[in-house]
Amino acid sequence: MVERDERTPRVSAPLTTSVGLPAVRHAMGYALREMGPVRGARTLLSMNQASGFDCPGCAWPDPVARERKVAEFCENGAKAAAWEATTARVDRDFFAAHSIDELRAMDDHTLEHFGRLVEPMYLAPGATHYAPIGWDEAIALVARRLSEMPSPDRAAFYTSGRASNEAAFTYQLLARRLGTNNLPDCSNMCHESSGVALAETIGIGKGAVTLEDITDHAELIVVVGQNPGTNHPRMLTALEAAKRRGARIVAINPLPEAGLGRFKNPQSLRGLVGSGTQLTDRHLAVRVNGDLALFAATNKALLEREDRDAATLDRAFIEAHTSGFEAAAAHWRALEWSDLERLSGLARAEIEAFASDAVAAKSVVVTWAMGLTQHRNAVATIREIVNFLLLRGNIGRPGAGPSPIRGHSNVQGDRTMGIWEKAPDAFLDRLRDEFGFEPPRAHGYDTVGTIRALRDGKIDVFVALGGNFVAATPDTRVTEAAMANCALSVHVATKLNRSHLFSGREALILPCLGRSERDVRDGVEQVVTVEDSMAMVHASRGRLEPGSPHLRSEVDIVTAIGAALFGEDLGWSAMGRDYATIRRHIERVVPGFESYEERIKEPGGFQLPRPPRDSLTFPTADAKAHFSVNEVDAVEVPAGHLLLQTLRSHDQFNTTVYGLDDRYRGIRGGRRVVFVNRADLAARGLSDGDLVDLVSVYSDGERRASAFRAVAYPTPRGCAAAYFPEANVLVPLESTALGSNTPTSKSIVIRLEPVAAREGSERRVRAWA
């Protein structure tokens, strides 16, 4: 029998309120345990301040400098800072005491809570333990292995969204100077679908909204496929400000989330001792993968109203600033309401009510996150949202527009800096003109392409600038095995994680400074910069002493590898000594960064140009926004199966697990849970509390995640949810979004198998043998 260990979760009713005193208590408790009172106070009071460091968590924008609070952080931001600034250390004695096999047997929560890495470590071919290695020897080894490759395209350079602009720029420069565009990054797994859809429709792969559009101007805010209370908690303050001035908020999400219920702002008396603010006016419990059908249905409803009274759509805007309307309108007219209701999981009356919300609002913002982007039809869904906005002229004016909310603190900035496997020729031309070499033009591998190349033996050297590649990516067992096919894996990291344990035949862990730590080069304190979800660029200055004298900055590590490979052909050492040198290069290569050094000295930084928002111009071939025709579909789930989405717990940031609770959803002390509608459990002869295996079904076979506790939960019939990275093992590598190649981690066809039945079958097999 599977025994319930100390980490078998305890389950209670989900909450309907968020933040308040419990969030303060959890944040402060975690910070005190990890950092102690003095270090903790210094860290948290510096975070997100104009003279401090940028939160290493999400990419939610900061208020203007004069409006920032003394405590300008959220619960999960405090956890992210404490996770990085912990006083615990992982040194050579730790690695001597723990073999790779021992460490592999530990879960991600345990691994990352051992503490900060303090010196470079090396895993020799066939070795069972990491051993210390000097910096010079480690850098020389990387350069030697890269130079030995028969082709530069046998290297891959992965980037986490936490890398600064300066680190990202030098990193892509290193890869392209080597001669490859193999620059996979975490954006390939999250908002790649957003970038593709927005570039096709409005000409720019970023949102077109400012923080003030949400707080001060929008009359309707639509939050789709997103859980701000856990993933971007400071967004709740902006939504509260919008509600207090009369805006309406519609939440579109399969699960009801506490973060969009009643918000108790801990920085106000009403939030601490009062009832707080009810944020959501309408919750549409769309079925998993039903968003395309919902927005197509809403657009059909708007068009039908226009046909009746000719006052619903913004005809002047459509005629002056868009193309493709007639084809899209013909498509919507041909859709059948019965199909749209079935595919969305919503009744026509619910959709019509949402359309009425849109008609009543003079300005509409739509925000979304990975609940939209990780489906096979994700690009089409986001194009349909753009259609929704264009119909009433909700792009290019205050309080209106599309707003993809990024989940990592500089993932958008990394793309701006050129971390892209298919950078446009214009960017590569400017790079050539600035540095005097010809960058490669052939597109490289994205994240899924990199895993396939590793699996097929086409990558010799894999370098990761941060992140937890093995845990974050799909098809965990395939990815783990694929990593073993490369000759050398190199991880620039602050803490130990699972990716360091599934390595190439040789492996290096190169420990780097965290965002919160002072970065001093030749006696001069350095500054780095980041870009948030709304294209604001600002400085970040670490305020803590480094966790070890052996730590080096990401920029220092990258430029040292460049100098070891190429000498000083591009001035690698000068860039490593003074980051202002890098910013001068960026000024001449990346549009919008003119007078870079001067503008980051301004409190709060500066806004990058985004033509639709700035001047109602669209950087498309015809200078217009494009309506699109999107065939409405959804994943067809076989009888007896469910459609699973992966999601975060509240005690988690991406693959980093701070703790084993998800108090908003009523989970305590464990993570192996699957949320299922009670009626779906009953239909399978199951009850809340039963242990089940999750078995995903795809054209190439089945995948299994064992021993999950079934939790009866108010999710739509036919849908389910489980936490990543535990459920990533179920995501097929070959199942990706059309147009973006993003893994379909929100559309996994599964069946539930009772553990007791599996154990009985295994006993019968053993008895027969």
Side-chain angles (χ1 to χ4, degrees):
M1 294 285 291
V2 172
E3 296 182 0
R4 295 174 182 272
D5 64 19
E6 69 278 4
R7 291 192 172 182
T8 299
R10 302 177 302 281
V11 179
S12 58
L15 301 182
T16 57
T17 62
S18 64
V19 195
L21 282 173
V24 175
R25 184 171 64 251
H26 280 83
M28 294 303 99
Y30 189 89
L32 285 170
R33 288 193 301 274
E34 295 293 326
M35 299 184 289
V38 176
R39 183 179 177 86
R42 186 178 184 189
T43 301
L44 297 180
L45 294 177
S46 298
M47 189 162 65
N48 296 323
Q49 301 297 336
S51 60
F53 66 94
D54 188 66
C55 176
C58 79
W60 186 253
D62 299 317
V64 295
R66 65 180 179 277
E67 295 179 5
R68 296 183 195 180
K69 304 289 195 301
V70 172
E72 191 58 60
F73 57 86
C74 66
E75 176 188 353
N76 280 353
K79 292 175 183 175
W83 175 90
E84 178 181 281
T86 179
T87 57
R89 298 290 180 260
V90 172
D91 57 16
R92 61 180 63 189
D93 292 337
F94 172 90
F95 284 106
H98 295 88
S99 71
I100 297 297
D101 285 343
E102 286 178 67
L103 294 170
R104 284 181 177 180
M106 300 177 186
D107 63 22
D108 298 273
H109 174 253
T110 301
L111 286 174
E112 298 201 20
H113 276 76
F114 283 124
R116 286 289 299 276
L117 298 159
V118 298
E119 62 181 322
M121 303 300 296
Y122 171 62
L123 186 68
T128 59
H129 293 68
Y130 274 97
I133 185 174
W135 272 109
D136 290 347
E137 187 180 357
I139 296 296
L141 176 62
V142 177
R144 187 163 63 251
R145 295 292 180 260
L146 287 171
S147 63
E148 291 171 349
M149 298 184 307
S151 165
D153 286 325
R154 294 190 66 84
F157 295 84
Y158 175 75
T159 313
S160 158
R162 195 175 292 188
S164 67
N165 286 340
E166 292 75 10
F169 185 82
T170 53
Y171 194 60
Q172 64 82 30
L173 183 65
L174 174 66
R176 292 187 166 112
R177 175 63 184 85
L178 182 68
T180 186
N181 281 313
N182 290 343
L183 284 158
D185 75 324
C186 59
S187 185
N188 297 147
M189 295 182 285
C190 57
H191 274 290
E192 196 69 47
S193 299
S194 301
V196 171
L198 293 173
E200 290 176 356
T201 54
I202 65 173
I204 182 170
K206 302 180 181 182
V209 169
T210 67
L211 179 58
E212 292 70 31
D213 285 327
I214 292 175
T215 57
D216 300 345
H217 302 296
E219 294 188 7
L220 175 65
I221 301 165
V222 186
V223 182
V224 194
Q226 184 185 0
N227 179 15
T230 288
N231 300 340
H232 320 91
R234 286 198 299 154
M235 183 178 177
L236 301 184
T237 304
L239 295 177
E240 181 187 46
K243 285 292 296 183
R244 299 291 291 274
R245 62 169 176 78
R248 283 180 64 79
I249 297 174
V250 173
I252 301 173
N253 197 56
L255 301 179
E257 299 289 11
L260 286 168
R262 187 166 291 279
F263 170 50
K264 305 186 80 170
N265 188 337
Q267 303 212 36
S268 72
L269 186 62
R270 175 175 175 165
L272 286 174
V273 299
S275 60
T277 302
Q278 176 62 35
L279 295 180
T280 299
D281 297 286
R282 187 184 308 283
H283 174 224
L284 296 176
V286 66
R287 73 180 286 268
V288 172
N289 194 230
D291 304 278
L292 174 56
L294 166 59
F295 278 95
T298 305
N299 293 338
K300 178 180 177 68
L302 293 173
L303 186 64
E304 289 175 348
R305 295 183 189 204
E306 174 74 7
D307 290 341
R308 290 195 297 269
D309 61 24
T312 301
L313 307 186
D314 189 336
R315 288 284 185 175
F317 176 88
I318 291 170
E319 292 172 9
H321 299 292
T322 75
S323 64
F325 169 74
E326 293 302 333
H331 169 67
W332 294 322
R333 287 192 175 97
L335 297 174
E336 296 291 340
W337 272 106
S338 58
D339 293 333
L340 297 171
E341 288 178 303
R342 177 178 59 84
L343 294 172
S344 68
L346 298 169
R348 180 174 179 176
E350 295 177 278
I351 299 168
E352 293 280 8
F354 173 48
S356 296
D357 291 334
V359 171
K362 295 178 181 177
S363 53
V364 180
V365 166
V366 181
T367 76
W368 68 88
M370 286 183 286
L372 284 193
T373 64
Q374 294 180 328
H375 299 276
R376 186 161 178 78
N377 58 7
V379 173
T381 300
I382 296 163
R383 288 196 303 246
E384 198 66 26
I385 287 174
V386 173
N387 286 342
F388 168 74
L389 293 168
L390 294 176
L391 284 174
R392 290 182 49 79
N394 279 306
I395 295 182
R397 54 190 173 86
S403 184
I405 305 301
R406 310 282 175 165
H408 215 159
S409 61
N410 198 41
V411 63
Q412 186 162 298
D414 290 350
R415 180 58 58 90
T416 302
M417 292 296 108
I419 299 293
W420 195 12
E421 74 281 358
K422 45 189 176 186
D425 283 340
F427 177 89
L428 298 176
D429 288 345
R430 290 189 295 269
L431 200 67
R432 175 200 61 204
D433 296 344
E434 176 68 9
F435 290 100
F437 74 96
E438 185 59 51
R441 303 290 168 147
H443 291 173
Y445 296 131
D446 63 6
T447 294
V448 168
T450 296
I451 298 170
R452 292 170 179 161
L454 285 162
R455 177 197 63 193
D456 298 340
K458 296 179 179 179
I459 297 293
D460 293 328
V461 179
F462 175 87
V463 186
L465 188 64
N468 188 351
F469 185 81
V470 166
T473 48
D475 224 340
T476 308
R477 300 294 171 259
V478 171
T479 303
E480 290 173 349
M483 287 300 301
N485 291 334
C486 71
L488 173 67
S489 57
V490 182
H491 291 274
V492 179
T494 55
K495 298 183 88 171
L496 179 67
N497 66 48
R498 189 157 302 281
S499 296
H500 308 153
L501 311 177
F502 291 91
S503 64
R505 292 186 292 278
E506 285 182 290
L508 285 167
I509 303 174
L510 305 181
C512 65
L513 294 170
R515 185 81 60 80
S516 59
E517 292 170 316
R518 295 179 69 232
D519 182 358
V520 179
R521 301 285 292 142
D522 291 345
V524 178
E525 187 168 316
Q526 301 297 315
V527 173
V528 295
T529 58
V530 296
E531 177 186 345
D532 66 32
S533 280
M534 296 178 184
M536 285 293 297
V537 176
H538 58 272
S540 178
R541 303 168 178 84
R543 285 293 174 251
L544 301 179
E545 291 303 312
S548 162
H550 304 296
L551 301 182
R552 295 173 69 165
S553 73
E554 292 175 319
V555 171
D556 186 20
I557 294 168
V558 171
T559 56
I561 294 171
L565 265 173
F566 307 115
E568 295 301 333
D569 61 342
L570 304 185
W572 299 100
S573 296
M575 287 188 281
R577 284 193 302 269
D578 183 2
Y579 303 169
T581 302
I582 302 169
R583 289 189 284 273
R584 286 192 289 273
H585 288 305
I586 293 171
E587 285 183 0
R588 296 185 287 268
V589 173
V590 184
F593 283 81
E594 299 79 12
S595 304
Y596 194 178
E597 194 69 18
E598 291 71 28
R599 288 195 287 168
I600 63 169
K601 294 175 183 176
E602 294 296 322
F606 62 93
Q607 178 82 60
L608 289 176
R610 293 174 300 168
R613 177 62 178 84
D614 303 335
S615 57
L616 194 51
T617 58
F618 296 93
T620 58
D622 59 1
K624 293 187 175 185
H626 298 159
F627 280 96
S628 56
V629 173
N630 303 294
E631 293 303 319
V632 179
D633 64 358
V635 175
E636 296 292 343
V637 181
H641 291 68
L642 302 169
L643 195 59
L644 177 84
Q645 61 170 325
T646 65
L647 40 70
R648 295 185 198 173
S649 81
H650 189 64
D651 244 358
Q652 172 181 359
F653 176 73
N654 292 348
T655 58
T656 299
V657 179
Y658 303 127
L660 300 175
D661 295 345
D662 187 359
R663 70 176 187 278
Y664 288 166
R665 297 192 184 104
I667 306 300
R668 296 286 192 282
R671 293 177 50 81
R672 296 187 78 83
V673 297
V674 57
F675 301 98
V676 184
N677 187 287
R678 188 178 297 275
D680 283 325
L681 290 175
R684 290 156 178 78
L686 298 169
S687 301
D688 183 287
D690 285 350
L691 284 182
V692 297
D693 291 349
L694 313 183
V695 182
S696 71
V697 180
Y698 193 64
S699 58
D700 64 356
E702 296 183 347
R703 295 159 175 81
R704 183 180 297 269
S706 299
F708 280 63
R709 184 206 192 276
V711 177
Y713 208 79
T715 187
R717 288 293 306 271
C719 301
Y723 301 132
F724 71 83
E726 290 85 351
N728 284 356
V729 68
L730 301 171
V731 185
L733 181 63
E734 303 305 322
S735 181
T736 60
L738 298 172
S740 69
N741 211 32
T742 296
T744 58
S745 302
K746 299 294 187 287
S747 290
I748 311 164
V749 176
I750 67 163
R751 67 174 183 270
L752 306 180
E753 290 190 357
V755 168
R758 169 171 57 82
E759 289 177 333
S761 175
E762 290 171 350
R763 283 196 298 271
R764 287 191 295 274
V765 170
R766 286 195 296 270
W768 180 84

